[in-house]
Amino acid sequence: MAGGKRVARRLGAWLCFADEAGHTLRPAKARTWAPRGHTPVVKVTGKGSGRISIAGLVAYKPGHRSRLIYRMMIHRGRKGEPKGFRERDFAALLDAAHQQLGGPIVLVWDNLHGHRSTTMRALIATRPWLRVYQLPSYAPELNPSEGIWAHLKRSLANLAVHNITNLAHLAKNRLKRMQYKLGLVDGFIAATGLSPPR
């Protein structure tokens, strides 16, 4: 990761960390408040299917405000529907990030097959403003995006949603709040050992 940071500084580029997450209709368990002796119960029907997939980038550049950029896909369980982000979806996210950030990008991400495929390498080669570095095999503590997903999961805990559209709306709402909460993304960056931008 140090190599990516040096290259980003030399190029005046944004250092971006990418990761994906998924959520289903099954609510996550979390602690909550209740009167003593009255265990809170969250009822769910267990009906319906589907999941949401989110791909996100945490963008870091000294002298600039940290950014969170993401895209979401809803999977309703229909036949032939893609079950996750494909190479072209990742490329579209990177193009959107390049446009929003207005500069070159040094991307750091994990060893997911879609990140290392021939198609993805070809798509990366057509983008001269993009440099890519791989994280070690299992190193979630080095990726600030992991903090984003953990925070999102906690904020959705103990919520019983009725359908996948409702879950997607709630997740977008939470992510939008994170985008505008000053210092939150910086905190996730600082947790990896990087000093947050000034």
Side-chain angles (χ1 to χ4, degrees):
M1 192 165 75
K5 191 175 176 184
R6 280 195 300 271
V7 170
R9 189 170 41 243
R10 183 167 44 85
L11 297 175
W14 287 83
L15 183 59
C16 295
F17 297 87
D19 198 27
E20 302 81 44
H23 293 275
T24 64
L25 291 175
R26 186 175 184 181
K29 295 177 190 172
R31 291 186 179 189
T32 187
W33 293 95
R36 187 178 296 243
H38 298 282
T39 303
V41 177
V42 178
K43 293 184 179 182
V44 292
T45 64
K47 292 181 182 176
S49 64
R51 63 187 303 254
I52 58 171
S53 292
I54 310 166
L57 294 172
V58 172
Y60 162 91
K61 185 176 181 182
H64 293 77
R65 183 176 65 85
S66 299
R67 305 279 292 275
L68 168 63
I69 301 167
Y70 69 92
R71 292 294 180 267
M72 184 180 296
M73 292 177 76
I74 300 175
H75 314 286
R76 300 182 191 282
R78 296 180 181 140
K79 189 175 181 181
E81 186 179 47
K83 292 187 175 154
F85 281 85
R86 312 262 183 191
E87 289 88 345
R88 298 210 181 277
D89 301 315
F90 287 126
L93 173 62
L94 293 170
D95 290 339
H98 175 60
Q99 189 173 18
Q100 286 182 41
L101 299 172
I105 292 174
V106 172
L107 178 67
V108 181
W109 61 9
D110 57 21
N111 292 311
L112 187 71
H113 175 69
H115 297 169
R116 297 178 289 111
S117 70
T118 306
T119 306
M120 193 72 235
R121 286 198 304 268
L123 289 167
I124 289 168
T126 63
R127 290 159 173 80
W129 44 265
L130 179 64
R131 302 275 173 93
V132 179
Y133 291 86
Q134 303 291 142
L135 283 168
S137 291
Y138 186 72
E141 70 280 359
L142 298 178
N143 193 339
S145 300
E146 296 286 349
I148 298 285
W149 306 142
H151 190 74
L152 176 63
K153 185 176 180 180
R154 277 193 306 274
S155 74
L156 294 173
N158 292 336
L159 293 176
V161 293
H162 299 293
N163 56 49
I164 201 67
T165 305
N166 191 6
L167 177 63
H169 176 73
L170 288 170
K172 279 183 184 178
N173 183 288
R174 293 335 191 249
L175 288 166
K176 185 69 78 178
R177 273 194 236 159
M178 281 190 242
Q179 285 178 317
Y180 291 101
K181 195 165 187 181
L182 291 176
L184 184 67
V185 176
D186 288 345
F188 297 131
I189 292 169
T192 66
L194 284 170
S195 41
R198 301 271 181 249

